[in-house]
Amino acid sequence: MGHLSRIGARASATRRSLVVSVALSLATLAVASPSFAADVGSPTAPPVDRVVTTTSQRDGAVLVTTAEVGTLSISDCRWGYTCVWSSPFYAGTLVQYRLPGQYIPLPSFPIGSYTNRYEKRATFYETVGGGGHSTCAPPGTSNQSVSGWLSAARSLYQSTTTTSC
């Protein structure tokens, strides 16, 4: 292969990589956007009980990834994350969070169950930004069937310093 052919092949591979990267970014944004909730139940939307969304932070950037999976359970919550499910007994849509030191808006669906596998305490709040009632979840705690105001919690705070409530 000549020198110019190798350069052309590398440029083509770089373009393909860029196109794939942009496509994945757009797909993630489309799924993570608020308009996604309106698409649930449409013929093209993935089944609600098979969607996992992970929100984390790396090098100052918030990363949101979404994947379609099989039946969910408590073991699907990764260590180091606080997880909420849309249904009791760790079923339905799963959303995983790791954004320590920030008030994290929770999904618009009612919370059916949760587990805190984050290494410090996580506190659920009634309103966005940490207001109203609160429930503290020390590391390693779970609630398989959420009830009362907690099912409509709107924010989560993962402590950066304290493990106990």
Side-chain angles (χ1 to χ4, degrees):
M1 183 183 280
H3 177 70
L4 290 177
S5 296
R6 283 193 302 271
I7 291 172
R10 273 187 292 203
S12 179
T14 301
R15 279 192 298 274
R16 278 193 305 273
S17 176
L18 179 61
V19 168
V20 169
S21 177
V22 168
L24 288 173
S25 296
L26 290 173
T28 299
L29 285 173
V31 172
S33 72
S35 65
F36 174 71
D39 294 334
V40 171
S42 74
T44 58
V48 173
D49 62 344
R50 297 181 56 192
V51 176
V52 176
T53 301
T54 303
T55 304
S56 60
Q57 187 170 2
R58 179 169 293 147
D59 300 326
V62 174
L63 307 172
V64 178
T65 57
T66 302
E68 186 176 343
V69 296
T71 305
L72 298 172
S73 69
I74 194 168
S75 63
D76 290 304
C77 180
R78 294 169 44 190
W79 289 106
Y81 287 75
T82 303
C83 300
V84 297
W85 286 262
S86 61
S87 299
F89 303 105
Y90 318 106
T93 298
L94 163 61
V95 183
Q96 306 181 94
Y97 298 98
R98 184 174 177 88
L99 294 168
Q102 300 177 44
Y103 287 97
I104 308 162
L106 291 173
S108 60
F109 60 72
I111 296 171
S113 48
Y114 73 82
T115 188
N116 184 21
R117 291 188 167 184
Y118 174 63
E119 58 272 6
K120 299 198 175 14
R121 76 176 183 205
T123 305
F124 293 90
Y125 290 94
E126 184 177 22
T127 63
V128 175
H133 292 95
S134 65
T135 295
C136 181
T141 59
S142 299
N143 185 335
Q144 67 183 5
S145 186
V146 172
S147 62
W149 74 266
L150 185 55
S151 66
R154 297 287 42 111
S155 62
L156 169 70
Y157 184 85
Q158 293 173 312
S159 178
T160 59
T161 59
T162 309
T163 57
S164 60
C165 293

